[in-house]
Amino acid sequence: MPDLGLDVLFKGKNMIRLLGGLWVAVKISLISVAISIPLGILLGIIMTSKNPIIKAVTRVYLEFIRIMPQLVLLFIVFFGTTSALGVNISGELASVIVFTAWGTAEMGDLVRGALISIPKHQYESAAALTLTPSQTYLYVIIPQTVRRLIPLSINLITRMIKTTSLILMIGVVEVLKVAQQIIEANRMSSPNAAFGVYLTVLLMYFIICWPISMLAKRLEKKWG
Amino acid sequence: MNWDFIWEYLPLYKDAALLTVKIGWLGIAIAIVIGFLCAIALYFKVPVLRRIVSVYIEISRNTPLLIQLFFIYYALPKIGIPTNPEACGVAGLAFLGGSYMAEAFRSGLEAIEPIQMESALSLGLEKSQALRHVIMPQAVSISVPAFVANVIFLLKETSVFSAVSLMDLMFTAKDLIGLYYKTTESLLMLVVFYLIILLPVSILGSVLERRLRHAGFGS
Amino acid sequence: MAEELLKIEHLTKRFDDNTVLDDISFTVHKGEVIVVVGPSGCGKSTMLRCINALEPIQGGKITINGDEIVYGSKNLSSLRQRIGMVFQSYDLFPHLNVLDNILLAPTKAQKRKKDEVTKEAMELLKRVGLEDKAKSYPRQLSGGQKQRVAIVRALCMHPEMMLFDEVTAALDPEMVREVLDVMLGLAKRGMTMIIVTHEMQFAKAIADRVLFLENGKIIEDADPDTFFENPKTERAKQFLNIFSFERSKENEEI
């Protein structure tokens, strides 16, 4: 059995430190998702507007955010704000800003898609049953939209968690950074630590994301 | 805005962009092959293989590319699998992309009515002929939108290559920001080059999608 | 009596514990037109699918001209080429135009020359009144036109017999006739056929023999006049009664 460098994980507080690093990434994703969902719903509703200016502006925002790699957006906010505004913002704040902007765009597109996919005859048959427009929304349209949206929003959470691994690249101390520190500190005593530690990080992400994906898939099947 | 600076360092970005494109497309090409084979294994419910494929897809889709790259680049050499930045970039992208492509092809295959296979067989075609002439052409065109979305997604993901010391666009931008503090210029070039790489694919994608929808297979 | 073409002996088909076909035996002679009727779920369609080895069978033997048709066997495709089959719906290949739909199997499976098959295909299309649709795609055709193309596609393989699985069931009423006329034409030319249908008038007109299936068993095997005028079994009577009742109800609605 070759040395897989797994012993390092059980040394001192290494495991706790890794989990702490993971929490930093997860926390940033959760905050970003929590802000993105209401903003995204708002954006989605705004995007169904017929006003050409609103349409154009939201469209450009959406396309730019979605075509740019998230890491580029992180660089723009993290490095760009310093040079443009002269303020130094922390990596964490830059991350929350970028992931919220991205999450809002994604969520907005999902909401818009869900809203326009409700067939016209749903509105018409509600009107034929003499429901008022607000009753129509409350009892007919929103429940259907929500069913379509919940699995997709849950998927957005896993995408967000996976994407937050990028914050390493703007110097936030998260799980990968902690992993590097642990490997570095044990270079002499455990030369193969990189294997065990990175495998652990990979599994940690999997253990978080997989159940969430499964839940999304199940709900999608149930409500699809 | 310092245009001389931009002019001076443009070639550096060009080389970095070419590297990104080269590794990106190579990785995507391999991902397409992997995805295709996985989708076939799932579609035909090949025993054992389909289990392995399912496990691969779940692992690949539920972990970030950055961690996959770290694992390939730093961890695999420890168990005797040598690597270098380029190979690592290609392998990481192929590992991640394979599962996304597999899902795209699989949903294309599953969208086809079973009767298509049956009527091809009842005409006396061999299963392989039916697959090639009847099932595949339909499955591929159904999966085009998902396929294009995956290509864009994977090209975007190449932005993390600098983590395994590939001198890509991100690496170049970070380098220039660190060295000369020309942040605005460096970031502008970064954005422009990513647009040059990604916009054509995005536009091609929407054109293809519109065409296919127009042709619609509605039977 | 003409020579025996298709022979089915003790055919048994089960889905899990559910027996769909229970010890079915009958023989089809060359040039004979057999119509299979019976209530939904009686196993009619499954029987056709078994003859074309689209389903594995749990017992019995199916032979065409003495060659046994075995699910999953190596020479299956050449046996299937000898039996044409037309399904209820959706079986044209949507990515190919009408002519390419017809040409695919003759050129790929039988390796025949494209020119020769094209000529034949155009003649057949003309016979069913669709020669101007050769370059159309399936989505541009009506349901009735699609089914006529499906029949031509099967005929172009020069099958020794044809199977029709409720080919008019998914069609709008005004299109049923054009498809049935093509089948009547085939019968006149001496094609051996097994037809599963709910069109009782048509069955009466085309059948040499009627098989009545219920719960996976052949309850009656008779010539059409006997079956429709004097069915032997109570069940067949009930079936025909229910049928005519449903029809009169439909008429009332209109």
Side-chain angles (χ1 to χ4, degrees):
Chain A
M1 181 84 186
D3 171 24
L4 297 178
L6 292 164
D7 51 318
V8 175
L9 296 162
F10 305 104
K11 258 194 230 162
K13 290 187 172 169
N14 283 350
M15 199 67 187
I16 305 287
R17 286 179 60 202
L18 274 181
L19 287 171
L22 189 65
W23 173 241
V24 173
V26 171
K27 192 176 64 185
I28 288 175
S29 348
L30 292 182
I31 294 172
S32 309
V33 169
I35 308 173
S36 299
I37 288 178
L39 285 183
I41 291 173
L42 207 62
L43 179 68
I45 295 170
I46 291 172
M47 282 173 75
T48 58
S49 148
K50 303 247 181 317
N51 184 324
I53 297 167
I54 292 177
K55 259 182 148 167
V57 171
T58 51
R59 177 101 206 171
V60 168
Y61 170 75
L62 190 81
E63 294 295 333
F64 181 77
I65 295 272
R66 294 183 86 184
I67 205 168
M68 273 298 125
Q70 287 92 337
L71 192 54
V72 174
L73 299 174
L74 276 176
F75 269 40
I76 293 174
V77 173
F78 185 66
F79 296 113
T81 45
T82 317
S83 78
L85 309 171
V87 283
N88 251 322
I89 64 167
S90 70
E92 281 89 347
L93 181 59
S95 310
V96 170
I97 293 172
V98 166
F99 294 134
T100 303
W102 173 62
T104 303
E106 291 287 338
M107 192 68 202
D109 198 42
L110 296 178
V111 171
R112 188 190 65 100
L115 281 176
I116 60 174
S117 74
I118 304 277
K120 209 171 147 199
H121 63 74
Q122 289 285 321
Y123 293 90
E124 288 168 354
S125 51
L129 291 167
T130 68
L131 292 179
T132 64
S134 57
Q135 286 170 327
T136 305
Y137 267 93
L138 196 59
Y139 299 116
V140 181
I141 307 303
I142 291 176
Q144 294 185 51
T145 320
V146 166
R147 285 195 160 203
R148 272 167 222 238
L149 278 178
I150 286 178
L152 298 171
S153 325
I154 294 173
N155 254 330
L156 187 62
I157 298 175
T158 60
R159 287 167 69 198
M160 193 71 92
I161 292 174
K162 283 187 287 174
T163 312
T164 46
S165 62
L166 297 178
I167 60 182
L168 166 82
M169 314 282 280
I170 55 165
V172 178
V173 180
E174 45 64 80
V175 58
L176 264 183
K177 191 75 206 167
V178 175
Q180 285 176 331
Q181 291 167 351
I182 292 175
I183 292 162
E184 189 59 26
N186 294 280
R187 205 154 42 104
M188 296 301 166
S189 61
S190 183
N192 282 350
F195 187 87
V197 174
Y198 286 135
L199 182 67
T200 308
V201 175
L202 198 71
L203 286 177
M204 280 176 168
Y205 268 98
F206 181 73
I207 290 167
I208 295 184
C209 292
W210 188 61
I212 306 177
S213 308
M214 285 288 125
L215 176 69
K217 212 181 263 178
R218 184 158 304 171
L219 289 179
E220 211 164 331
K221 215 171 257 169
K222 191 170 146 201
W223 290 337
Chain B
M1 188 74 60
N2 186 337
W3 294 103
D4 292 337
F5 178 84
I6 290 182
W7 193 245
E8 193 182 340
Y9 287 98
L10 211 54
L12 218 57
Y13 273 90
K14 196 195 78 196
D15 292 346
L18 286 177
L19 182 77
T20 299
V21 168
K22 197 180 79 186
I23 294 181
W25 281 106
L26 195 56
I28 288 170
I30 299 174
I32 292 170
V33 176
I34 295 175
F36 197 72
L37 296 177
C38 289
I40 301 263
L42 291 175
Y43 182 69
F44 286 111
K45 305 196 165 63
V46 183
V48 189
L49 200 58
R50 70 188 265 234
R51 298 255 168 250
I52 299 172
V53 167
S54 311
V55 170
Y56 155 66
I57 288 179
E58 293 305 332
I59 292 176
S60 158
R61 287 182 73 102
N62 285 296
T63 50
L65 177 62
L66 186 59
I67 318 276
Q68 293 170 5
L69 286 177
F70 265 59
F71 186 75
I72 295 170
Y73 193 63
Y74 297 109
L76 288 187
K78 302 290 180 197
I79 56 164
I81 301 171
T83 185
N84 63 56
E86 273 92 5
C88 173
V90 172
L93 206 59
F95 179 81
L96 177 77
S99 66
Y100 282 83
M101 291 300 181
E103 292 285 25
F105 287 136
R106 192 183 55 102
S107 56
L109 283 170
E110 280 177 359
I112 299 166
E113 302 271 349
I115 189 117
Q116 287 284 316
M117 179 54 116
E118 287 173 354
S119 59
L121 290 179
S122 79
L123 282 168
L125 289 168
E126 299 284 350
K127 208 165 181 180
S128 57
Q129 291 174 322
L131 195 65
R132 186 168 141 217
H133 298 292
V134 176
I135 307 299
M136 275 306 159
Q138 296 182 57
V140 167
S141 46
I142 292 170
S143 43
V144 160
F147 174 83
V148 173
N150 285 345
V151 168
I152 294 172
F153 162 72
L154 292 171
L155 283 175
K156 281 166 65 181
E157 288 283 305
T158 60
S159 63
V160 303
F161 281 170
S162 61
V164 291
S165 36
L166 270 172
M167 302 224 252
D168 71 342
L169 286 169
M170 301 308 298
F171 189 95
T172 307
K174 199 171 181 178
D175 221 28
L176 292 183
I177 293 170
L179 283 173
Y180 305 108
Y181 295 105
K182 294 270 189 273
T183 310
T184 318
E185 290 82 356
S186 304
L187 289 176
L188 178 72
M189 282 195 277
L190 181 66
V191 168
V192 168
F193 271 94
Y194 266 111
L195 284 179
I196 292 174
I197 294 175
L198 291 165
L199 262 185
V201 185
S202 168
I203 291 167
L204 181 73
S206 33
V207 170
L208 268 181
E209 199 173 335
R210 203 164 312 148
R211 260 221 195 139
L212 283 172
R213 203 169 29 205
H214 216 69
F217 280 158
S219 42
Chain C
M1 197 95 194
E3 58 182 299
E4 291 181 354
L5 183 58
L6 183 83
K7 205 171 167 77
I8 295 175
E9 296 159 275
H10 309 294
L11 169 62
T12 302
K13 165 77 194 169
R14 279 187 296 267
F15 290 111
D16 299 323
D17 291 339
N18 187 10
T19 303
V20 185
L21 296 172
D22 189 2
D23 195 24
I24 300 265
S25 297
F26 66 95
T27 304
V28 185
H29 299 88
K30 201 164 185 314
E32 203 173 15
V33 176
I34 295 196
V35 171
V36 183
V37 298
S40 306
C42 68
K44 306 171 297 230
S45 294
T46 309
M47 188 176 81
L48 292 194
R49 294 168 59 82
C50 290
I51 295 173
N52 220 343
L54 292 171
E55 303 276 353
I57 59 177
Q58 279 69 42
K61 192 173 166 189
I62 303 169
T63 49
I64 177 158
N65 253 338
D67 299 320
E68 189 174 355
I69 300 170
V70 182
Y71 179 83
S73 69
K74 281 256 179 290
N75 64 340
L76 204 51
S77 56
S78 62
L79 285 173
R80 278 178 178 145
Q81 288 169 26
R82 294 161 61 184
I83 307 173
M85 181 159 181
V86 182
F87 298 83
Q88 186 172 337
S89 58
Y90 301 123
D91 65 328
L92 291 186
F93 307 132
H95 63 300
L96 299 176
N97 67 27
V98 165
L99 188 59
D100 289 337
N101 256 283
I102 301 169
L103 295 185
L104 183 66
T107 54
K108 302 295 175 195
Q110 294 178 324
K111 313 273 185 234
R112 279 153 65 192
K113 286 218 176 58
K114 201 175 168 185
D115 310 350
E116 172 237 311
V117 192
T118 308
K119 198 164 155 257
E120 188 187 346
M122 290 311 293
E123 275 162 19
L124 285 168
L125 281 175
K126 195 168 176 189
R127 209 160 97 195
V128 301
L130 291 174
E131 70 268 37
D132 55 330
K133 299 286 184 193
K135 295 288 171 191
S136 303
Y137 280 86
R139 64 175 180 280
Q140 297 163 318
L141 304 182
S142 71
Q145 291 171 330
K146 277 189 237 180
Q147 288 303 57
R148 282 184 279 163
V149 172
I151 294 172
V152 167
R153 188 176 67 173
L155 283 178
C156 221
M157 296 294 286
H158 304 148
E160 291 164 39
M161 66 178 302
M162 294 277 286
L163 310 175
F164 293 90
D165 185 7
E166 301 197 34
V167 290
T168 57
L171 297 182
D172 290 336
E174 70 271 23
M175 295 178 179
V176 169
R177 184 68 201 227
E178 62 191 49
V179 177
L180 297 184
D181 280 344
V182 171
M183 291 162 72
L184 282 167
L186 283 179
K188 266 189 210 136
R189 285 164 181 260
M191 175 59 81
T192 314
M193 304 193 267
I194 302 180
I195 301 169
V196 168
T197 186
H198 283 298
E199 302 285 339
M200 292 303 149
Q201 294 299 322
F202 169 68
K204 213 167 169 177
I206 198 168
D208 293 320
R209 245 166 89 201
V210 178
L211 299 185
F212 176 63
L213 238 71
E214 197 184 59
N215 294 329
K217 287 196 175 71
I218 296 180
I219 309 262
E220 288 207 30
D221 179 349
D223 66 88
D225 289 337
T226 314
F227 178 76
F228 286 106
E229 307 309 330
N230 296 303
K232 283 188 299 243
T233 59
E234 202 50 40
R235 295 194 161 179
K237 271 180 209 153
Q238 275 172 2
F239 172 74
L240 290 170
N241 268 339
I242 285 168
F243 212 84
S244 55
F245 178 63
E246 278 176 352
R247 282 174 63 102
S248 64
K249 219 174 159 191
E250 273 168 27
N251 290 339
E252 264 172 39
E253 275 173 20
I254 300 162

